[in-house]
Amino acid sequence: MDENDDVYALLGVQPIRAEILRVTLARHQVTAAELMEELDLTRNGVGKHLTELTNAGLLVERRATHPRGTGGIIYWSADRAAITNALLTLVGRILSHPRI
């Protein structure tokens, strides 16, 4: 258990989604299979998280032909600007002082 897990839970953040964002930010693009291997996730698990992060606008998906020509493949990349904006919005909300 990560020392930040309690903070994540209090803020409603799923640690695995933070890890997916971290890995995706560190690379140009990732596939579901790469995330499954690196983060020890099932196909259904990674798919659910990728869908939610994409729907939130934090990840962008790109469909392409598999490099081996064996069908389609989806690559995900992080939208750095959207992630930065989301974090700044959260920090702003936490640090703002309401005027009384």
Side-chain angles (χ1 to χ4, degrees):
M1 182 178 228
D2 186 289
E3 65 187 46
N4 294 317
D5 284 352
D6 288 340
V7 174
Y8 289 153
L10 286 170
L11 294 174
V13 174
Q14 294 187 21
I16 192 61
R17 290 187 182 163
E19 281 299 298
I20 290 170
L21 290 174
R22 181 190 61 77
V23 170
T24 307
L25 280 165
R27 301 180 186 175
H28 177 65
Q29 60 188 10
V30 295
T31 65
E34 291 168 342
L35 289 171
M36 287 168 50
E37 183 177 328
E38 182 158 341
L39 301 176
D40 195 31
L41 295 170
T42 64
R43 179 182 302 273
N44 287 340
V46 78
K48 176 182 130 185
H49 295 302
L50 288 170
T51 297
E52 291 295 325
L53 291 166
T54 301
N55 288 343
L58 302 177
L59 294 180
V60 177
E61 74 175 49
R62 179 178 66 84
R63 296 178 182 270
T65 302
H66 195 283
R68 292 182 291 216
T70 57
I73 188 167
I74 302 172
Y75 295 97
W76 281 270
S77 58
D79 185 332
R80 190 172 295 273
I83 293 168
T84 300
N85 187 52
L87 291 172
L88 290 174
T89 299
L90 176 63
V91 169
R93 174 74 74 157
I94 291 169
L95 298 179
S96 68
H97 299 286
R99 296 181 183 200
I100 299 175

